[in-house]
Amino acid sequence: MNRQNCMRSLVMAVALIVCPAFVLAAPMAFPLQALADKPGRLTLKGVGKVFYVPSTLDTIQWGYLPNAANAAVLTVPSGATVIFDTVSHEGLLEDQGRDPVTYFGKHGVPARLVLNDAIAIAGSRLAHDFGKDGPHIVTGPVAVEGAQPGDVLKVDVLAIAPRVPYGVISNRHGKGALPGEFPEGAKPEPDASATEPEKFHNVSVFTPIKKNARGRWEGVMKNAHGATVTFPTAPFIGVMGVAADTTEPVHSVPPGVYGGNMDVKDLGAGTSVYLPVFVPGANFYAGDPHMVQGNGEVALTALEQSMRATFRLTLLKKGDPRIPSATGTLSKPFGETRDYWITIGLNPDLNEAMKDAVRESVRFLNEILGMDRAVAYAYLSAATDFNVSQVVDRTKGIHGLIRKADFRKRRAPKSIVTPQH
């Protein structure tokens, strides 16, 4: 990387950490190429020590998540700020030719606007079985000093910035909310491969982004008559998790108690994720970057787009009062935004995922906010939205949004009127 590009990227990194709103307010010089060739520490004036993890062949897995057998690519102290460069799989997969320069070039993207790390990963000999492996490119893991099973890792999402001004939304045969109905064209041919990607007969919709009059990013599509359709964006990282306590391969598609591909669109910049720790070091990773997603993610993917994400990783030792649990630990992920506590239910059966989210909500309200379980259940029925996070990742997701404003006054009233039955 030349000095000019390096300085430009460093300035962007500082802006993201100091002021996440910079992402949507300031002009950006695309693409955001790597800050460095390998993981390490950057010392930035006015910010201090910042750690950085690029997406290279030495720091990523394609289709699988880190497990107990994977060594960390970097170790950081609790409270460290870590910048992750994440790479979207879209434009790199076999049904798109495994050649992002050619694929995006067909949509008018010049080669200079294609990320170097995307080119390197797609053009490498890294094994990836399109029919078997997950699609996601996962960066990490990063170990946190002192983390042990039973602890909790608090992940503050400080900022998320697009690395390129475009993304892709895909629908593939046998996947999505309407498998067998969409895509509506021909079925995949037996000899479909990266050399003849058109034989997969999958549908990928190239989707650029642009700034609107208010300086906000919008996704841009065309209808059948060529009229422009725009929609607001809200970047988030679909895959955030810690290493599972197994030496068996952990597929990147279904989420689990370790987090992973949760695809909760509410967990963007300014939010926090609490993850139970299963292996020494916790081993945090990130991937599956999205520019925006609708709840359900019905076609199969969201607006998949490479992102630069900045996190603060804080170790909460077992029993720390900041852990949202009376037991001093967690058994599954938990989210928090400025306005909501987010409970997460996961199960291959959507009905069971709903039950999981409701049970977790009752637990939280009872243990942390002091509500009787019956009253908590009633409150949830009247005041909490349970959203379908996604229905396309084998293990389906429901997340509840418990409104913080409802609990600003938590002192018991002088007199309580007992509900009449």
Side-chain angles (χ1 to χ4, degrees):
M1 176 188 299
N2 63 40
R3 180 179 177 82
Q4 182 180 5
N5 286 339
C6 184
M7 289 306 297
R8 184 179 70 193
S9 296
L10 290 176
V11 169
M12 175 60 67
V14 174
L16 290 176
I17 296 165
V18 175
C19 182
F22 178 92
V23 176
L24 297 178
M28 299 180 64
F30 291 118
L32 295 187
Q33 300 286 15
L35 297 172
D37 297 332
K38 57 183 65 176
R41 184 171 62 187
L42 305 174
T43 300
L44 303 178
K45 186 177 180 179
V47 177
K49 296 177 181 178
V50 177
F51 293 88
Y52 171 67
V53 185
S55 290
T56 70
L57 294 175
D58 295 323
T59 65
I60 62 110
Q61 294 188 45
W62 196 351
Y64 294 89
L65 304 178
N67 62 19
N70 296 123
V73 302
L74 182 69
T75 300
V76 302
S78 176
T81 297
V82 187
I83 299 171
F84 278 70
D85 271 351
T86 64
V87 176
S88 173
H89 53 274
E90 292 296 328
L92 283 68
L93 289 171
E94 289 79 356
D95 67 339
Q96 296 158 336
R98 196 161 165 165
D99 179 356
V101 172
T102 298
Y103 177 80
F104 290 119
K106 292 178 181 177
H107 296 283
V109 178
R112 63 178 177 79
L113 280 181
V114 180
L115 293 169
N116 292 335
D117 38 9
I119 296 171
I121 292 167
S124 72
R125 295 184 178 180
L126 182 63
H128 184 260
D129 185 328
F130 182 74
K132 175 184 176 184
D133 303 337
H136 311 103
I137 295 169
V138 180
T139 304
V142 170
V144 178
E145 294 174 357
Q148 292 294 330
D151 297 339
V152 170
L153 184 66
K154 182 185 180 187
V155 180
D156 294 311
V157 185
L158 302 181
I160 307 173
R163 299 180 64 195
V164 291
Y166 55 83
V168 177
I169 306 166
S170 288
N171 173 224
R172 296 184 166 95
H173 284 281
K175 304 179 187 298
L178 299 175
E181 296 181 50
F182 283 84
E184 293 182 312
K187 304 300 183 185
E189 299 175 42
D191 59 343
S193 69
T195 57
E196 295 181 289
E198 67 280 356
K199 290 187 175 182
F200 285 99
H201 299 295
N202 291 326
V203 174
S204 292
V205 179
F206 176 79
T207 308
I209 60 171
K210 70 175 182 66
K211 289 283 187 71
N212 63 20
R214 294 177 296 170
R216 301 280 177 174
W217 289 115
E218 293 180 331
V220 182
M221 290 181 173
K222 299 285 187 181
N223 71 9
H225 306 291
T228 298
V229 178
T230 61
F231 49 92
T233 62
F236 75 102
I237 302 299
V239 169
M240 293 185 285
V242 292
D245 185 18
T246 179
T247 57
E248 295 298 316
V250 180
H251 201 278
S252 72
V253 170
V257 295
Y258 44 79
N261 190 29
M262 295 182 291
D263 278 340
V264 177
K265 74 169 190 175
D266 297 278
L267 295 175
T271 70
S272 301
V273 185
Y274 298 81
L275 297 165
V277 174
F278 298 101
V279 303
N283 283 4
F284 175 76
Y285 50 83
D288 191 28
H290 299 144
M291 193 63 181
V292 67
Q293 175 186 301
N295 279 327
E297 198 183 18
V298 295
L300 174 63
T301 83
L303 177 47
E304 312 287 321
Q305 187 167 339
S306 297
M307 298 282 169
R308 175 164 292 163
T310 304
F311 304 101
R312 181 170 55 241
L313 304 181
T314 303
L315 175 63
L316 304 180
K317 296 299 292 182
K318 186 175 182 179
D320 190 304
R322 292 171 291 178
I323 296 172
S325 168
T327 64
T329 189
L330 289 175
S331 60
K332 61 187 63 177
F334 185 92
E336 183 176 7
T337 75
R338 181 187 65 180
D339 300 318
Y340 297 98
W341 291 290
I342 300 179
T343 55
I344 299 171
L346 300 170
N347 196 283
D349 184 316
L350 190 62
N351 289 328
E352 295 300 319
M354 180 68 182
K355 293 177 183 178
D356 193 28
V358 173
R359 292 186 186 111
E360 177 68 354
S361 300
V362 171
R363 178 203 68 77
F364 173 73
L365 290 172
N366 174 248
E367 293 182 357
I368 303 303
L369 298 179
M371 295 187 80
D372 176 84
R373 286 175 60 85
V375 175
Y377 195 37
Y379 165 81
L380 293 170
S381 191
T384 296
D385 289 327
F386 287 86
N387 295 325
V388 178
S389 315
Q390 51 74 26
V391 295
V392 298
D393 294 330
R394 302 184 187 177
T395 296
K396 298 172 176 62
I398 297 282
H399 64 279
L401 298 174
I402 300 174
R403 199 166 36 239
K404 289 183 176 181
D406 297 352
F407 298 88
R408 285 178 181 154
K409 297 180 180 179
R410 289 169 54 190
R411 293 183 180 179
K414 291 183 180 179
S415 62
I416 298 175
V417 179
T418 303
Q420 298 297 312
H421 299 284

